[in-house]
Amino acid sequence: MSDLPEGIKHLVPVKQVEKSIKLTDEAKAELQSVGMMDEKGKLKLKGASPKMIKRMKLEAVDCPVLKKEVAFIQCYVCRNYHSRITGQVYCKGEPL
């Protein structure tokens, strides 16, 4: 039996990257639709300071659902995102 919370299929480590990974157009559209990004493309994450957002832009995860490396911000707004604890993301792992 796994020690992951119920409904969680993956524990994905967050890693630092040298250069920020571009958000996909789908991720940008999702961010704009929920009010987390303005028309100019500036992130407006509720409860996150500009310093925290800058740090989040330099983080990435190997997405088990998309089977590729994605920016942490894209992971953060994904419906599979559950929570992040001590440098690891709890992912529900459901198909998108």
Side-chain angles (χ1 to χ4, degrees), residues 31-79:
L31 283 165
Q32 287 178 340
S33 72
V34 294
M36 293 181 161
M37 180 181 276
D38 64 16
E39 302 80 37
K40 296 177 185 172
K42 187 164 173 77
L43 287 167
K44 304 263 188 211
L45 300 177
K46 195 175 263 184
S49 68
K51 186 177 178 181
M52 185 184 289
I53 292 172
K54 184 178 179 181
R55 193 170 48 210
M56 288 165 79
K57 285 181 178 179
L58 293 174
E59 294 175 332
V61 296
D62 289 319
C63 179
V65 178
L66 298 175
K67 305 275 191 266
K68 65 179 184 176
E69 185 179 71
V70 298
F72 173 71
I73 293 173
Q74 183 172 343
C75 176
Y76 181 72
V77 298
C78 176
R79 61 186 163 122

mmCIF file of all heavy atoms in Angstrom, residues 31-79:
data_model
loop_
_atom_site.group_PDB
_atom_site.id
_atom_site.type_symbol
_atom_site.label_atom_id
_atom_site.label_comp_id
_atom_site.label_asym_id
_atom_site.label_seq_id
_atom_site.Cartn_x
_atom_site.Cartn_y
_atom_site.Cartn_z
ATOM 1 N N LEU A 31 -4.988 30.200 -17.733
ATOM 2 C CA LEU A 31 -4.631 31.217 -16.748
ATOM 3 C C LEU A 31 -5.478 32.475 -16.933
ATOM 4 O O LEU A 31 -5.944 33.059 -15.959
ATOM 5 C CB LEU A 31 -3.144 31.571 -16.855
ATOM 6 C CG LEU A 31 -2.169 30.571 -16.256
ATOM 7 C CD1 LEU A 31 -0.764 30.849 -16.746
ATOM 8 C CD2 LEU A 31 -2.217 30.613 -14.747
ATOM 9 N N GLN A 32 -5.680 32.894 -18.184
ATOM 10 C CA GLN A 32 -6.476 34.093 -18.451
ATOM 11 C C GLN A 32 -7.942 33.863 -18.107
ATOM 12 O O GLN A 32 -8.598 34.745 -17.571
ATOM 13 C CB GLN A 32 -6.323 34.526 -19.905
ATOM 14 C CG GLN A 32 -4.969 35.151 -20.174
ATOM 15 C CD GLN A 32 -4.757 35.546 -21.629
ATOM 16 O OE1 GLN A 32 -5.429 35.064 -22.517
ATOM 17 N NE2 GLN A 32 -3.789 36.421 -21.857
ATOM 18 N N SER A 33 -8.460 32.661 -18.381
ATOM 19 C CA SER A 33 -9.881 32.384 -18.126
ATOM 20 C C SER A 33 -10.214 32.385 -16.637
ATOM 21 O O SER A 33 -11.331 32.716 -16.261
ATOM 22 C CB SER A 33 -10.294 31.061 -18.764
ATOM 23 O OG SER A 33 -9.736 29.974 -18.058
ATOM 24 N N VAL A 34 -9.259 32.026 -15.806
ATOM 25 C CA VAL A 34 -9.512 32.031 -14.359
ATOM 26 C C VAL A 34 -8.978 33.284 -13.675
ATOM 27 O O VAL A 34 -8.970 33.373 -12.453
ATOM 28 C CB VAL A 34 -8.944 30.760 -13.673
ATOM 29 C CG1 VAL A 34 -9.669 29.525 -14.135
ATOM 30 C CG2 VAL A 34 -7.453 30.620 -13.883
ATOM 31 N N GLY A 35 -8.511 34.252 -14.473
ATOM 32 C CA GLY A 35 -8.074 35.534 -13.924
ATOM 33 C C GLY A 35 -6.698 35.543 -13.295
ATOM 34 O O GLY A 35 -6.382 36.429 -12.509
ATOM 35 N N MET A 36 -5.862 34.557 -13.618
ATOM 36 C CA MET A 36 -4.514 34.508 -13.061
ATOM 37 C C MET A 36 -3.473 35.144 -13.974
ATOM 38 O O MET A 36 -2.297 35.171 -13.655
ATOM 39 C CB MET A 36 -4.109 33.064 -12.753
ATOM 40 C CG MET A 36 -4.889 32.431 -11.643
ATOM 41 S SD MET A 36 -4.284 30.772 -11.370
ATOM 42 C CE MET A 36 -4.887 30.455 -9.731
ATOM 43 N N MET A 37 -3.918 35.633 -15.165
ATOM 44 C CA MET A 37 -3.009 36.299 -16.086
ATOM 45 C C MET A 37 -3.804 37.403 -16.783
ATOM 46 O O MET A 37 -4.953 37.198 -17.166
ATOM 47 C CB MET A 37 -2.479 35.295 -17.121
ATOM 48 C CG MET A 37 -1.516 35.887 -18.122
ATOM 49 S SD MET A 37 -0.934 34.681 -19.355
ATOM 50 C CE MET A 37 0.403 33.925 -18.462
ATOM 51 N N ASP A 38 -3.166 38.571 -16.920
ATOM 52 C CA ASP A 38 -3.867 39.660 -17.611
ATOM 53 C C ASP A 38 -3.673 39.546 -19.120
ATOM 54 O O ASP A 38 -3.008 38.637 -19.610
ATOM 55 C CB ASP A 38 -3.424 41.022 -17.080
ATOM 56 C CG ASP A 38 -1.954 41.340 -17.325
ATOM 57 O OD1 ASP A 38 -1.320 40.666 -18.161
ATOM 58 O OD2 ASP A 38 -1.440 42.273 -16.702
ATOM 59 N N GLU A 39 -4.268 40.486 -19.871
ATOM 60 C CA GLU A 39 -4.230 40.445 -21.339
ATOM 61 C C GLU A 39 -2.809 40.566 -21.888
ATOM 62 O O GLU A 39 -2.515 40.095 -22.972
ATOM 63 C CB GLU A 39 -5.093 41.571 -21.944
ATOM 64 C CG GLU A 39 -6.547 41.546 -21.531
ATOM 65 C CD GLU A 39 -6.786 42.143 -20.145
ATOM 66 O OE1 GLU A 39 -6.122 43.130 -19.763
ATOM 67 O OE2 GLU A 39 -7.632 41.586 -19.423
ATOM 68 N N LYS A 40 -1.940 41.215 -21.128
ATOM 69 C CA LYS A 40 -0.563 41.416 -21.571
ATOM 70 C C LYS A 40 0.317 40.197 -21.292
ATOM 71 O O LYS A 40 1.477 40.169 -21.686
ATOM 72 C CB LYS A 40 0.036 42.642 -20.872
ATOM 73 C CG LYS A 40 -0.662 43.937 -21.223
ATOM 74 C CD LYS A 40 -0.075 45.084 -20.450
ATOM 75 C CE LYS A 40 -0.856 46.373 -20.706
ATOM 76 N NZ LYS A 40 -0.413 47.434 -19.821
ATOM 77 N N GLY A 41 -0.203 39.217 -20.582
ATOM 78 C CA GLY A 41 0.566 38.014 -20.280
ATOM 79 C C GLY A 41 1.272 38.050 -18.948
ATOM 80 O O GLY A 41 2.123 37.217 -18.668
ATOM 81 N N LYS A 42 0.933 39.014 -18.088
ATOM 82 C CA LYS A 42 1.558 39.107 -16.773
ATOM 83 C C LYS A 42 0.789 38.248 -15.774
ATOM 84 O O LYS A 42 -0.435 38.335 -15.685
ATOM 85 C CB LYS A 42 1.577 40.559 -16.309
ATOM 86 C CG LYS A 42 2.353 40.770 -15.029
ATOM 87 C CD LYS A 42 2.660 42.239 -14.842
ATOM 88 C CE LYS A 42 3.281 42.518 -13.513
ATOM 89 N NZ LYS A 42 4.660 42.161 -13.409
ATOM 90 N N LEU A 43 1.518 37.418 -15.041
ATOM 91 C CA LEU A 43 0.886 36.521 -14.065
ATOM 92 C C LEU A 43 0.375 37.283 -12.861
ATOM 93 O O LEU A 43 1.035 38.191 -12.358
ATOM 94 C CB LEU A 43 1.883 35.456 -13.604
ATOM 95 C CG LEU A 43 2.201 34.376 -14.612
ATOM 96 C CD1 LEU A 43 3.416 33.588 -14.167
ATOM 97 C CD2 LEU A 43 1.027 33.454 -14.802
ATOM 98 N N LYS A 44 -0.794 36.916 -12.383
ATOM 99 C CA LYS A 44 -1.411 37.518 -11.199
ATOM 100 C C LYS A 44 -1.937 36.391 -10.303
ATOM 101 O O LYS A 44 -3.129 36.182 -10.196
ATOM 102 C CB LYS A 44 -2.596 38.407 -11.606
ATOM 103 C CG LYS A 44 -2.261 39.480 -12.601
ATOM 104 C CD LYS A 44 -2.014 40.781 -11.916
ATOM 105 C CE LYS A 44 -1.876 41.875 -12.942
ATOM 106 N NZ LYS A 44 -1.010 42.919 -12.543
ATOM 107 N N LEU A 45 -1.020 35.636 -9.711
ATOM 108 C CA LEU A 45 -1.426 34.522 -8.870
ATOM 109 C C LEU A 45 -1.818 35.041 -7.491
ATOM 110 O O LEU A 45 -1.033 35.722 -6.831
ATOM 111 C CB LEU A 45 -0.300 33.496 -8.740
ATOM 112 C CG LEU A 45 0.179 32.851 -10.043
ATOM 113 C CD1 LEU A 45 1.335 31.913 -9.770
ATOM 114 C CD2 LEU A 45 -0.949 32.126 -10.736
ATOM 115 N N LYS A 46 -3.015 34.724 -7.074
ATOM 116 C CA LYS A 46 -3.517 35.189 -5.778
ATOM 117 C C LYS A 46 -2.687 34.557 -4.655
ATOM 118 O O LYS A 46 -2.461 33.352 -4.646
ATOM 119 C CB LYS A 46 -4.986 34.781 -5.626
ATOM 120 C CG LYS A 46 -5.697 35.499 -4.503
ATOM 121 C CD LYS A 46 -7.161 35.150 -4.498
ATOM 122 C CE LYS A 46 -7.907 36.244 -5.223
ATOM 123 N NZ LYS A 46 -9.351 36.052 -5.206
ATOM 124 N N GLY A 47 -2.216 35.379 -3.749
ATOM 125 C CA GLY A 47 -1.446 34.889 -2.613
ATOM 126 C C GLY A 47 0.028 34.664 -2.911
ATOM 127 O O GLY A 47 0.753 34.173 -2.064
ATOM 128 N N ALA A 48 0.473 34.991 -4.135
ATOM 129 C CA ALA A 48 1.875 34.799 -4.496
ATOM 130 C C ALA A 48 2.512 36.154 -4.785
ATOM 131 O O ALA A 48 2.020 36.916 -5.604
ATOM 132 C CB ALA A 48 1.997 33.896 -5.721
ATOM 133 N N SER A 49 3.598 36.439 -4.095
ATOM 134 C CA SER A 49 4.298 37.703 -4.293
ATOM 135 C C SER A 49 5.053 37.671 -5.623
ATOM 136 O O SER A 49 5.331 36.597 -6.156
ATOM 137 C CB SER A 49 5.292 37.920 -3.152
ATOM 138 O OG SER A 49 6.340 36.977 -3.237
ATOM 139 N N PRO A 50 5.409 38.849 -6.160
ATOM 140 C CA PRO A 50 6.202 38.874 -7.402
ATOM 141 C C PRO A 50 7.506 38.073 -7.274
ATOM 142 O O PRO A 50 7.928 37.422 -8.219
ATOM 143 C CB PRO A 50 6.481 40.361 -7.614
ATOM 144 C CG PRO A 50 5.351 41.058 -6.924
ATOM 145 C CD PRO A 50 5.019 40.194 -5.740
ATOM 146 N N LYS A 51 8.113 38.110 -6.094
ATOM 147 C CA LYS A 51 9.353 37.359 -5.863
ATOM 148 C C LYS A 51 9.095 35.850 -5.958
ATOM 149 O O LYS A 51 9.873 35.103 -6.538
ATOM 150 C CB LYS A 51 9.912 37.724 -4.487
ATOM 151 C CG LYS A 51 11.252 37.126 -4.174
ATOM 152 C CD LYS A 51 11.737 37.607 -2.820
ATOM 153 C CE LYS A 51 13.070 36.991 -2.462
ATOM 154 N NZ LYS A 51 13.533 37.440 -1.143
ATOM 155 N N MET A 52 7.975 35.395 -5.409
ATOM 156 C CA MET A 52 7.619 33.980 -5.442
ATOM 157 C C MET A 52 7.312 33.538 -6.883
ATOM 158 O O MET A 52 7.727 32.463 -7.304
ATOM 159 C CB MET A 52 6.405 33.706 -4.545
ATOM 160 C CG MET A 52 6.046 32.238 -4.436
ATOM 161 S SD MET A 52 4.550 31.951 -3.478
ATOM 162 C CE MET A 52 5.120 32.324 -1.846
ATOM 163 N N ILE A 53 6.600 34.395 -7.632
ATOM 164 C CA ILE A 53 6.276 34.080 -9.028
ATOM 165 C C ILE A 53 7.556 33.969 -9.848
ATOM 166 O O ILE A 53 7.696 33.053 -10.665
ATOM 167 C CB ILE A 53 5.322 35.131 -9.623
ATOM 168 C CG1 ILE A 53 3.945 35.014 -8.945
ATOM 169 C CG2 ILE A 53 5.192 34.954 -11.127
ATOM 170 C CD1 ILE A 53 2.983 36.122 -9.300
ATOM 171 N N LYS A 54 8.510 34.868 -9.607
ATOM 172 C CA LYS A 54 9.787 34.829 -10.317
ATOM 173 C C LYS A 54 10.503 33.505 -10.049
ATOM 174 O O LYS A 54 11.056 32.893 -10.961
ATOM 175 C CB LYS A 54 10.660 36.013 -9.880
ATOM 176 C CG LYS A 54 11.957 36.121 -10.632
ATOM 177 C CD LYS A 54 12.745 37.336 -10.197
ATOM 178 C CE LYS A 54 14.048 37.415 -10.956
ATOM 179 N NZ LYS A 54 14.850 38.561 -10.549
ATOM 180 N N ARG A 55 10.462 33.056 -8.812
ATOM 181 C CA ARG A 55 11.099 31.783 -8.445
ATOM 182 C C ARG A 55 10.357 30.601 -9.090
ATOM 183 O O ARG A 55 10.979 29.652 -9.568
ATOM 184 C CB ARG A 55 11.130 31.648 -6.923
ATOM 185 C CG ARG A 55 12.037 30.547 -6.439
ATOM 186 C CD ARG A 55 12.237 30.579 -4.951
ATOM 187 N NE ARG A 55 10.967 30.712 -4.259
ATOM 188 C CZ ARG A 55 10.810 31.313 -3.085
ATOM 189 N NH1 ARG A 55 11.830 31.839 -2.485
ATOM 190 N NH2 ARG A 55 9.640 31.368 -2.516
ATOM 191 N N MET A 56 9.016 30.677 -9.114
ATOM 192 C CA MET A 56 8.217 29.603 -9.712
ATOM 193 C C MET A 56 8.480 29.465 -11.208
ATOM 194 O O MET A 56 8.391 28.366 -11.759
ATOM 195 C CB MET A 56 6.723 29.858 -9.472
ATOM 196 C CG MET A 56 6.301 29.649 -8.030
ATOM 197 S SD MET A 56 4.687 30.352 -7.675
ATOM 198 C CE MET A 56 3.603 29.130 -8.330
ATOM 199 N N LYS A 57 8.805 30.576 -11.877
ATOM 200 C CA LYS A 57 9.093 30.536 -13.312
ATOM 201 C C LYS A 57 10.361 29.747 -13.619
ATOM 202 O O LYS A 57 10.542 29.261 -14.728
ATOM 203 C CB LYS A 57 9.244 31.952 -13.874
ATOM 204 C CG LYS A 57 7.926 32.681 -14.033
ATOM 205 C CD LYS A 57 8.166 34.053 -14.617
ATOM 206 C CE LYS A 57 6.880 34.809 -14.835
ATOM 207 N NZ LYS A 57 7.114 36.152 -15.376
ATOM 208 N N LEU A 58 11.251 29.630 -12.635
ATOM 209 C CA LEU A 58 12.501 28.896 -12.815
ATOM 210 C C LEU A 58 12.425 27.481 -12.261
ATOM 211 O O LEU A 58 13.439 26.867 -11.949
ATOM 212 C CB LEU A 58 13.660 29.660 -12.173
ATOM 213 C CG LEU A 58 14.008 30.992 -12.842
ATOM 214 C CD1 LEU A 58 15.069 31.727 -12.045
ATOM 215 C CD2 LEU A 58 14.456 30.778 -14.277
ATOM 216 N N GLU A 59 11.209 26.962 -12.131
ATOM 217 C CA GLU A 59 11.007 25.595 -11.661
ATOM 218 C C GLU A 59 10.250 24.805 -12.721
ATOM 219 O O GLU A 59 9.453 25.363 -13.473
ATOM 220 C CB GLU A 59 10.218 25.589 -10.345
ATOM 221 C CG GLU A 59 10.970 26.220 -9.211
ATOM 222 C CD GLU A 59 10.163 26.329 -7.935
ATOM 223 O OE1 GLU A 59 8.916 26.430 -8.000
ATOM 224 O OE2 GLU A 59 10.788 26.325 -6.873
ATOM 225 N N ALA A 60 10.508 23.508 -12.754
ATOM 226 C CA ALA A 60 9.849 22.637 -13.729
ATOM 227 C C ALA A 60 9.561 21.290 -13.083
ATOM 228 O O ALA A 60 10.134 20.947 -12.041
ATOM 229 C CB ALA A 60 10.734 22.445 -14.951
ATOM 230 N N VAL A 61 8.655 20.540 -13.706
ATOM 231 C CA VAL A 61 8.346 19.170 -13.276
ATOM 232 C C VAL A 61 8.280 18.284 -14.512
ATOM 233 O O VAL A 61 7.958 18.744 -15.602
ATOM 234 C CB VAL A 61 7.015 19.071 -12.489
ATOM 235 C CG1 VAL A 61 7.088 19.835 -11.190
ATOM 236 C CG2 VAL A 61 5.850 19.545 -13.310
ATOM 237 N N ASP A 62 8.591 17.004 -14.343
ATOM 238 C CA ASP A 62 8.403 16.025 -15.409
ATOM 239 C C ASP A 62 6.989 15.488 -15.265
ATOM 240 O O ASP A 62 6.719 14.628 -14.432
ATOM 241 C CB ASP A 62 9.431 14.895 -15.298
ATOM 242 C CG ASP A 62 10.835 15.358 -15.660
ATOM 243 O OD1 ASP A 62 10.964 16.124 -16.623
ATOM 244 O OD2 ASP A 62 11.788 14.956 -14.972
ATOM 245 N N CYS A 63 6.075 16.020 -16.067
ATOM 246 C CA CYS A 63 4.656 15.700 -15.941
ATOM 247 C C CYS A 63 4.391 14.239 -16.301
ATOM 248 O O CYS A 63 4.685 13.813 -17.420
ATOM 249 C CB CYS A 63 3.836 16.626 -16.837
ATOM 250 S SG CYS A 63 2.075 16.290 -16.761
ATOM 251 N N PRO A 64 3.828 13.454 -15.362
ATOM 252 C CA PRO A 64 3.531 12.050 -15.659
ATOM 253 C C PRO A 64 2.330 11.890 -16.588
ATOM 254 O O PRO A 64 2.171 10.853 -17.218
ATOM 255 C CB PRO A 64 3.246 11.449 -14.276
ATOM 256 C CG PRO A 64 2.807 12.597 -13.446
ATOM 257 C CD PRO A 64 3.513 13.805 -13.982
ATOM 258 N N VAL A 65 1.478 12.899 -16.706
ATOM 259 C CA VAL A 65 0.301 12.830 -17.561
ATOM 260 C C VAL A 65 0.662 13.206 -19.001
ATOM 261 O O VAL A 65 0.330 12.488 -19.944
ATOM 262 C CB VAL A 65 -0.828 13.743 -17.030
ATOM 263 C CG1 VAL A 65 -2.038 13.711 -17.947
ATOM 264 C CG2 VAL A 65 -1.231 13.326 -15.619
ATOM 265 N N LEU A 66 1.358 14.333 -19.173
ATOM 266 C CA LEU A 66 1.743 14.793 -20.509
ATOM 267 C C LEU A 66 3.013 14.111 -21.012
ATOM 268 O O LEU A 66 3.374 14.235 -22.172
ATOM 269 C CB LEU A 66 1.939 16.313 -20.512
ATOM 270 C CG LEU A 66 0.711 17.150 -20.164
ATOM 271 C CD1 LEU A 66 1.073 18.622 -20.083
ATOM 272 C CD2 LEU A 66 -0.404 16.920 -21.172
ATOM 273 N N LYS A 67 3.719 13.425 -20.131
ATOM 274 C CA LYS A 67 4.961 12.713 -20.456
ATOM 275 C C LYS A 67 6.037 13.649 -21.013
ATOM 276 O O LYS A 67 6.762 13.306 -21.947
ATOM 277 C CB LYS A 67 4.704 11.587 -21.467
ATOM 278 C CG LYS A 67 3.642 10.600 -21.054
ATOM 279 C CD LYS A 67 4.211 9.514 -20.179
ATOM 280 C CE LYS A 67 3.236 8.379 -19.979
ATOM 281 N NZ LYS A 67 2.422 8.473 -18.796
ATOM 282 N N LYS A 68 6.125 14.867 -20.436
ATOM 283 C CA LYS A 68 7.171 15.801 -20.840
ATOM 284 C C LYS A 68 7.421 16.784 -19.699
ATOM 285 O O LYS A 68 6.641 16.861 -18.760
ATOM 286 C CB LYS A 68 6.793 16.551 -22.120
ATOM 287 C CG LYS A 68 5.593 17.469 -21.983
ATOM 288 C CD LYS A 68 5.318 18.189 -23.295
ATOM 289 C CE LYS A 68 4.186 19.174 -23.126
ATOM 290 N NZ LYS A 68 3.945 19.959 -24.328
ATOM 291 N N GLU A 69 8.517 17.518 -19.820
ATOM 292 C CA GLU A 69 8.850 18.530 -18.821
ATOM 293 C C GLU A 69 7.997 19.772 -19.064
ATOM 294 O O GLU A 69 7.901 20.251 -20.181
ATOM 295 C CB GLU A 69 10.333 18.872 -18.926
ATOM 296 C CG GLU A 69 10.793 19.833 -17.854
ATOM 297 C CD GLU A 69 12.273 20.137 -17.958
ATOM 298 O OE1 GLU A 69 12.673 20.831 -18.908
ATOM 299 O OE2 GLU A 69 13.017 19.673 -17.085
ATOM 300 N N VAL A 70 7.347 20.251 -18.011
ATOM 301 C CA VAL A 70 6.532 21.455 -18.118
ATOM 302 C C VAL A 70 6.929 22.428 -17.013
ATOM 303 O O VAL A 70 7.482 22.037 -15.984
ATOM 304 C CB VAL A 70 5.013 21.150 -18.020
ATOM 305 C CG1 VAL A 70 4.555 20.260 -19.154
ATOM 306 C CG2 VAL A 70 4.651 20.542 -16.685
ATOM 307 N N ALA A 71 6.630 23.700 -17.235
ATOM 308 C CA ALA A 71 6.891 24.722 -16.228
ATOM 309 C C ALA A 71 6.027 24.442 -14.996
ATOM 310 O O ALA A 71 4.895 23.961 -15.125
ATOM 311 C CB ALA A 71 6.571 26.094 -16.800
ATOM 312 N N PHE A 72 6.548 24.746 -13.813
ATOM 313 C CA PHE A 72 5.769 24.496 -12.600
ATOM 314 C C PHE A 72 4.452 25.270 -12.612
ATOM 315 O O PHE A 72 3.432 24.779 -12.144
ATOM 316 C CB PHE A 72 6.565 24.847 -11.337
ATOM 317 C CG PHE A 72 5.718 24.752 -10.106
ATOM 318 C CD1 PHE A 72 5.298 23.527 -9.626
ATOM 319 C CD2 PHE A 72 5.286 25.893 -9.450
ATOM 320 C CE1 PHE A 72 4.469 23.435 -8.520
ATOM 321 C CE2 PHE A 72 4.460 25.808 -8.347
ATOM 322 C CZ PHE A 72 4.062 24.575 -7.872
ATOM 323 N N ILE A 73 4.446 26.474 -13.163
ATOM 324 C CA ILE A 73 3.216 27.271 -13.198
ATOM 325 C C ILE A 73 2.137 26.555 -14.006
ATOM 326 O O ILE A 73 0.972 26.562 -13.638
ATOM 327 C CB ILE A 73 3.494 28.693 -13.729
ATOM 328 C CG1 ILE A 73 4.360 29.432 -12.697
ATOM 329 C CG2 ILE A 73 2.204 29.442 -14.016
ATOM 330 C CD1 ILE A 73 4.852 30.779 -13.126
ATOM 331 N N GLN A 74 2.536 25.886 -15.095
ATOM 332 C CA GLN A 74 1.571 25.117 -15.878
ATOM 333 C C GLN A 74 1.042 23.951 -15.047
ATOM 334 O O GLN A 74 -0.148 23.643 -15.065
ATOM 335 C CB GLN A 74 2.219 24.606 -17.163
ATOM 336 C CG GLN A 74 1.244 23.868 -18.061
ATOM 337 C CD GLN A 74 1.832 23.530 -19.423
ATOM 338 O OE1 GLN A 74 2.844 24.095 -19.832
ATOM 339 N NE2 GLN A 74 1.201 22.624 -20.124
ATOM 340 N N CYS A 75 1.909 23.321 -14.293
ATOM 341 C CA CYS A 75 1.499 22.232 -13.403
ATOM 342 C C CYS A 75 0.553 22.766 -12.322
ATOM 343 O O CYS A 75 -0.451 22.148 -12.004
ATOM 344 C CB CYS A 75 2.742 21.614 -12.763
ATOM 345 S SG CYS A 75 2.395 20.334 -11.542
ATOM 346 N N TYR A 76 0.865 23.937 -11.796
ATOM 347 C CA TYR A 76 0.098 24.555 -10.712
ATOM 348 C C TYR A 76 -1.354 24.812 -11.108
ATOM 349 O O TYR A 76 -2.255 24.683 -10.294
ATOM 350 C CB TYR A 76 0.794 25.856 -10.311
ATOM 351 C CG TYR A 76 0.145 26.623 -9.195
ATOM 352 C CD1 TYR A 76 0.210 26.164 -7.889
ATOM 353 C CD2 TYR A 76 -0.513 27.820 -9.438
ATOM 354 C CE1 TYR A 76 -0.377 26.877 -6.854
ATOM 355 C CE2 TYR A 76 -1.092 28.538 -8.418
ATOM 356 C CZ TYR A 76 -1.020 28.060 -7.123
ATOM 357 O OH TYR A 76 -1.607 28.772 -6.111
ATOM 358 N N VAL A 77 -1.596 25.158 -12.373
ATOM 359 C CA VAL A 77 -2.959 25.451 -12.812
ATOM 360 C C VAL A 77 -3.658 24.235 -13.430
ATOM 361 O O VAL A 77 -4.817 24.320 -13.812
ATOM 362 C CB VAL A 77 -3.009 26.640 -13.800
ATOM 363 C CG1 VAL A 77 -2.512 27.903 -13.129
ATOM 364 C CG2 VAL A 77 -2.235 26.361 -15.062
ATOM 365 N N CYS A 78 -2.980 23.120 -13.516
ATOM 366 C CA CYS A 78 -3.566 21.901 -14.075
ATOM 367 C C CYS A 78 -4.620 21.347 -13.108
ATOM 368 O O CYS A 78 -4.473 21.453 -11.883
ATOM 369 C CB CYS A 78 -2.461 20.871 -14.278
ATOM 370 S SG CYS A 78 -3.035 19.270 -14.854
ATOM 371 N N ARG A 79 -5.666 20.731 -13.657
ATOM 372 C CA ARG A 79 -6.716 20.184 -12.780
ATOM 373 C C ARG A 79 -6.243 18.943 -12.017
ATOM 374 O O ARG A 79 -6.878 18.528 -11.052
ATOM 375 C CB ARG A 79 -7.982 19.900 -13.561
ATOM 376 C CG ARG A 79 -7.830 18.906 -14.665
ATOM 377 C CD ARG A 79 -9.121 18.808 -15.459
ATOM 378 N NE ARG A 79 -8.837 18.166 -16.730
ATOM 379 C CZ ARG A 79 -9.425 17.048 -17.129
ATOM 380 N NH1 ARG A 79 -10.343 16.502 -16.404
ATOM 381 N NH2 ARG A 79 -9.095 16.526 -18.278
#
